[in-house]
Amino acid sequence: MPDPNSLYGPLDPAQDAGWSSAPPRMGFFTDTSVCIGCKACEVACKEWNGVPGSGLDLLGMSYDNTGALTANSWRHVAFIEQPRPAGHRSPPFAGLPTGVPASATSAAVAAETAGPTGTEPGLPAGSSSAAARMATDVLGDPLGAAPGNGGAAPGNGGAAPGCGGVGPRSGDAGPRHAHAGPGDGRAGAEFLGMPGAQPPGRGTGVQGRGDFRWLMMSDVCKHCTHAACLDVCPTGSLFRTEFGTVVVQEDICNGCGYCISACPYGVIDQRGDDGRAWKCTLCYDRLGAGMTPACAQACPTESIQYGPVEELRERAASRVAVLHERGVPEARLYGHDPHDGVGGDGAFFLLLDEPEVYGLPPDPVVTTRDLPAMWKRAGIAALAMAAATVAAFVGGSS
């Protein structure tokens, strides 16, 4: 008879599964704030576990070419594109300098720009820094000047000796350099709405700038404390390891698919060619040899961190506190609470938006939680029907 607490509430999953001298529970902490979407974890997972290729699928709706966790993608790096106006969250790029760059100032001095000849995007009219940049060539010399002498060569209209055609041509409306003064009919360079070199919103402020951001998350099986897939598997193909993880034994799986519908996260999937269920094993073979799982080993930014779950939870709480101090109040943990609907996950996440944005259920609940009560009600109903049947026969015979 299983412990009545095995379907809900905090517990040690390995000991509950019968491991008397189990090591500390191991798991993943995925910090999405430092995920760069490189998909190294996906490749490492496939290479180590011999997972078949998923094909090159262009979804047509995202740069994410995997789409979801499947039988052939045990790790899935989700790309969430958000073309939302800035201001819905903490201001991006807060604290950037708002002054004119030194390079533009130097260019204005070198070009001797006079008068309000142009504007920098987001700056009021009258700024000459943009005109100064447009009045210089790629080497920083004023247009029409001989290279290296900072001015026009005499007698040839600004062209260097022997370089006909560099200076102003006959018929030009005016000189091509920025020495024209206001009111002389020879306008200097003008800002025509072209993108400038400044960071977006330098002059307009954060609230006036549109902000397109990518949220990236390397999703994986959560290795739940209360794993419904374990409860419904009829063959024992799914089992709890001594590390507290959940593994599928593919040679025992009969392809019934019960675990697929039981998973509250939609992680488990069947392969079309054999019908068996497949998912992340948290590299059980590597754990037994004292090695780090392949995905965590390959992650270049340490977005995927592997270790004892209790230690990871402390590390995750510290990371959230740091992000809050740095002006990211939307940072939150997901799947870390042992009192949630699945008893806490062995693989949990730091998110920068609501769980639904990442395709995660906001309040997951183990789907077998109510099985004891359901069987109890079914038993009472069966007894009631049997009693009614007996009463009917007894009453009819009398």
Side-chain angles (χ1 to χ4, degrees):
M1 182 65 182
D3 187 331
N5 192 45
S6 63
L7 297 177
Y8 54 88
L11 55 79
D12 185 330
Q15 291 187 2
D16 182 69
W19 297 93
S20 57
S21 57
R25 184 182 184 185
M26 308 300 285
F28 288 132
F29 163 50
T30 302
D31 183 355
T32 66
S33 68
V34 294
C35 178
I36 59 175
C38 66
K39 292 183 176 283
C41 53
E42 286 191 17
V43 175
C45 176
K46 284 181 176 291
E47 288 184 347
W48 179 261
N49 295 289
V51 180
S54 304
L56 182 59
D57 298 326
L58 300 179
L59 305 182
M61 55 179 289
S62 169
Y63 281 96
D64 175 11
N65 66 331
T66 310
L69 290 172
T70 66
N72 293 335
S73 292
W74 299 357
R75 270 278 180 185
H76 166 230
V77 179
F79 283 45
I80 299 98
E81 294 93 346
Q82 288 187 326
R84 302 171 62 183
H88 68 279
R89 57 187 181 91
S90 58
F93 305 113
L96 282 181
T98 56
V100 179
S103 58
T105 304
S106 301
V109 173
E112 300 177 3
T113 305
T117 57
T119 61
E120 182 73 18
L123 297 179
S127 172
S128 60
S129 58
R133 283 203 302 279
M134 288 185 281
T136 58
D137 60 18
V138 294
L139 299 178
D141 294 319
L143 291 175
N149 64 3
N156 66 351
C163 300
V166 175
R169 301 182 300 272
S170 59
D172 282 350
R176 297 181 64 205
H177 51 73
H179 294 283
D184 62 0
R186 298 182 300 169
E190 297 180 2
F191 173 59
L192 301 178
M194 302 296 289
Q198 303 304 314
R202 178 180 289 278
T204 60
V206 171
Q207 301 301 327
R209 180 175 75 245
D211 179 39
F212 188 97
R213 68 169 180 169
W214 266 338
L215 299 177
M216 300 175 182
M217 180 194 71
S218 181
D219 198 8
V220 72
C221 173
K222 313 307 182 290
H223 296 275
C224 308
T225 299
H226 306 295
C229 56
L230 288 174
D231 297 331
V232 301
C233 181
T235 65
S237 172
L238 284 134
F239 74 99
R240 179 83 66 177
T241 73
E242 66 270 30
F243 301 102
T245 60
V246 180
V247 175
V248 180
Q249 300 176 94
E250 64 274 7
D251 57 333
I252 302 178
C253 178
N254 66 358
C256 67
Y258 294 166
C259 56
I260 297 175
S261 59
C263 177
Y265 297 102
V267 166
I268 309 178
D269 187 31
Q270 288 175 301
R271 285 184 186 160
D273 56 350
D274 63 11
R276 293 178 295 174
W278 302 83
K279 73 172 193 68
C280 163
T281 65
L282 215 142
C283 287
Y284 182 42
D285 51 347
R286 293 175 66 96
L287 267 59
M291 301 171 64
T292 300
C295 55
Q297 185 74 37
C299 182
T301 63
E302 295 186 354
S303 171
I304 304 173
Q305 302 178 33
Y306 163 76
V309 171
E310 291 300 325
E311 177 185 332
L312 292 177
R313 286 172 177 168
E314 296 177 2
R315 193 184 307 173
S318 300
R319 175 61 177 165
V320 170
V322 169
L323 290 176
H324 288 176
E325 292 176 359
R326 294 179 179 177
V328 189
E330 62 272 16
R332 72 202 68 188
L333 295 180
Y334 178 85
H336 69 296
D337 186 3
H339 296 277
D340 65 12
V342 295
D345 295 326
F348 59 98
F349 303 84
L350 185 153
L351 305 180
L352 297 179
D353 211 322
E354 298 292 339
E356 298 92 324
V357 173
Y358 296 87
L360 298 171
D363 187 19
V365 176
V366 58
T367 53
T368 53
R369 181 187 62 179
D370 297 327
L371 277 180
M374 293 169 61
W375 281 111
K376 182 179 179 180
R377 295 189 185 99
I380 294 174
L383 290 175
M385 291 181 63
T389 302
V390 171
F393 276 105
V394 171
S397 61
S398 61

